[in-house]
């Protein structure tokens, strides 16, 4: 965080959001003006609130966002997503200013894999290469041989020689799914996403009984028992493309509910049903992603805080496996 004392005082400690934004302001207009004035772009993940998706210059899944971050000519990248995504953008663009409107926007999956513990775990398997899901900290990326996303994990795992032993971190559900698809045994780190793990199979199947013509489409971060009932499994972008192209008119969508906004926009005549979680919580909404708001984006762009920065040597180490991922993805046409 690069706050000067004066700046913190001026904006009322932006990290803690004692910030009052004039309610008369047209935030859409103000944000558009600031973007132009500062040559800034907003990259947003599909799990953001719909108003944020609507103001973004690019909306995508983790792979698409990393690809956009790599090629942008903007001076400022405002990341409407979570911390590891903004870190990835900064690692790819060390000379650009990368902003994350709320530094508390973390990720349970990334948090489930602390670098120190992972380093010890990795030492137990000296002949293994490390394949890490992009949902991890820069510290884990620096300990990895290659990074993957849910869009390219299968292609990247297949790119290793058959006899190469592999560790997959941090998501055990995605790891198990890719291991089954590729027929490769992999050592899995025991991490998971708090959103994708709490979907209720019973309630999904109750919905399916209610809408028998619907298809179940699921993200591979979901548990094996849920994936076993899915008609289609894919990254957020893949789920969106499938739902738009498919002949089917109704879908039970087993991933974070933010994706429904683009699905409804791109296929307005189709029926999208958010899959329910256990209990009565709104657990299909990621609390980290939802920390971002239009107000915070406005303040963040206006004052150019909070900024993502990391030690140079960490960024250099983390860059190598990210670059490798982007190279293999582009060779595979992803
Ligand atoms: P994708 O963006 O790769 O679909 O991953 C979903 C996710 O959980 C991002 O945090
Ligand atoms: Fe992390 Fe899960 Fe939220 Fe994605 S949906 S940011 S994996 S907690």
């Amino acid at each position: 965080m690069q706050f000067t004392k004066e700046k913190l005082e001026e904006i009322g400690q932006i990290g803690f959001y004692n910030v009052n934004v004039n309610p008369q302001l047209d935030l859409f207009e103000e944000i558009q003006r600031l973007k132009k004035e500062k040559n800034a772009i907003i990259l947003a993940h599909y799990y953001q609130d719909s108003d944020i998706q609507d103001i973004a210059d690019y909306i995508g899944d983790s792979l698409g966002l990393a690809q956009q971050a790599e090629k942008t000519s903007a001076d400022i990248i405002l990341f409407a997503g979570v911390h590891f995504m903004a870190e990835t953008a900064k690692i790819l663009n060390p000379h650009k200013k990368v902003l994350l409107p709320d530094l508390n926007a973390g990720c349970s999956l990334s948090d489930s894999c602390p670098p120190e513990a992972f380093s010890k775990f990795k030492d137990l398997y000296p002949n293994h290469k490390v394949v890490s899901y992009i949902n991890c900290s820069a510290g884990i990326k620096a300990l990895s041989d290659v990074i993957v996303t849910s869009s390219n994990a299968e292609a990247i795992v297949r790119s290793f020689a058959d006899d190469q032993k592999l560790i997959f971190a941090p998501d055990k559900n995605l790891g198990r799914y890719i291991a089954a698809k590729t027929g490769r045994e992999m050592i899995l780190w025991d991490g998971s996403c708090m959103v994708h793990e709490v979907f209720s199979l019973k309630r999904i199947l109750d919905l399916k009984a209610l809408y028998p013509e619907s298809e179940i489409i699921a993200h591979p971060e979901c548990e094996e028992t849920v994936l076993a009932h899915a008609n289609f499994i894919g990254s957020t972008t893949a789920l969106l493309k499938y739902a738009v192209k498919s002949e089917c008119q109704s879908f039970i969508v087993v991933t974070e509910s933010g994706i429904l906004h683009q699905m409804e926009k791109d296929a307005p005549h189709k029926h999208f049903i958010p899959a329910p979680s256990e209990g009565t919580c709104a657990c299909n909404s990621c609390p980290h992603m939802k920390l971002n708001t239009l107000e915070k984006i406005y303040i963040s762009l206006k004052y150019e805080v909070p900024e993502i920065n990391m030690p140079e040597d960490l960024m250099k180490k983390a860059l190598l496996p990210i670059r490798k991922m982007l190279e293999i993805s582009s060779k595979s046409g992803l």
Side-chain angles (χ1 to χ4, degrees), residues 80-313:
V82 291
H83 198 271
F84 74 81
M85 295 177 172
E87 270 189 352
T88 305
K90 181 68 184 178
I91 293 164
L92 285 164
N93 291 285
H95 304 299
K96 290 187 195 289
K97 193 173 265 187
V98 176
L99 304 173
L100 182 67
D102 191 326
L103 285 178
N104 293 318
C107 166
S108 69
L109 180 51
S110 174
D111 291 348
S112 70
C113 194
E116 223 171 88
F118 184 71
S119 177
K120 286 185 188 146
F121 177 78
K122 183 183 158 179
D123 288 347
L124 300 174
Y125 305 99
N127 300 321
H128 290 58
K129 297 266 188 211
V130 177
V131 180
S132 293
Y133 190 32
I134 199 165
N135 299 35
C136 65
S137 64
I140 296 295
K141 289 185 175 83
L143 293 166
S144 305
D145 293 288
V146 67
I147 300 304
V148 300
T149 74
S150 50
S151 291
N152 58 23
E154 185 183 342
I156 291 179
V157 165
R158 286 190 195 280
S159 74
F160 283 97
D162 288 345
D163 58 351
Q164 176 59 59
K165 294 177 174 164
L166 300 175
I167 295 174
F168 191 95
D171 189 13
K172 62 179 175 192
N173 292 317
L174 177 65
R176 200 185 295 114
Y177 170 70
I178 296 297
K181 272 210 110 173
T182 57
R184 292 188 77 122
E185 247 181 63
M186 298 194 286
I187 304 288
L188 305 181
W189 177 264
D190 187 14
S192 58
C193 158
M194 62 188 285
V195 177
H196 290 89
E197 257 212 341
V198 295
F199 285 109
S200 161
L201 178 59
K202 182 187 172 304
R203 295 177 73 193
I204 291 170
L205 294 179
D206 287 350
L207 269 178
K208 175 78 181 168
L210 207 59
Y211 301 101
E213 74 295 348
S214 65
E215 284 189 350
I216 297 174
I217 57 175
H219 195 281
E221 284 176 29
C222 295
E223 288 186 321
E224 203 175 12
T225 46
V226 169
L227 295 181
H229 290 271
N231 298 89
F232 180 78
I233 298 168
S235 76
T236 36
T237 298
L239 294 179
L240 175 62
K241 283 188 181 158
Y242 177 82
V244 171
K245 245 179 50 194
S246 164
E247 299 275 288
C248 184
Q249 296 298 307
S250 172
F251 301 89
I252 299 168
V253 183
V254 199
T255 189
E256 212 272 357
S257 53
I259 185 70
L260 266 76
H261 179 59
Q262 289 305 315
M263 287 179 171
E264 283 162 355
K265 260 179 131 171
D266 291 356
H269 53 286
K270 293 191 179 182
H271 184 205
F272 298 103
I273 310 158
S277 316
E278 300 284 359
T280 51
C281 67
C283 301
N284 59 9
S285 175
C286 174
H288 306 291
M289 289 278 183
K290 300 304 198 266
L291 280 177
N292 295 318
T293 61
L294 276 191
E295 283 80 4
K296 289 179 195 175
I297 289 175
Y298 165 69
I299 295 284
S300 180
L301 263 186
K302 183 168 175 186
Y303 295 101
E304 300 180 21
V305 288
E307 191 183 346
I308 298 290
N309 271 305
M310 283 158 277
E312 213 170 295
D313 59 329

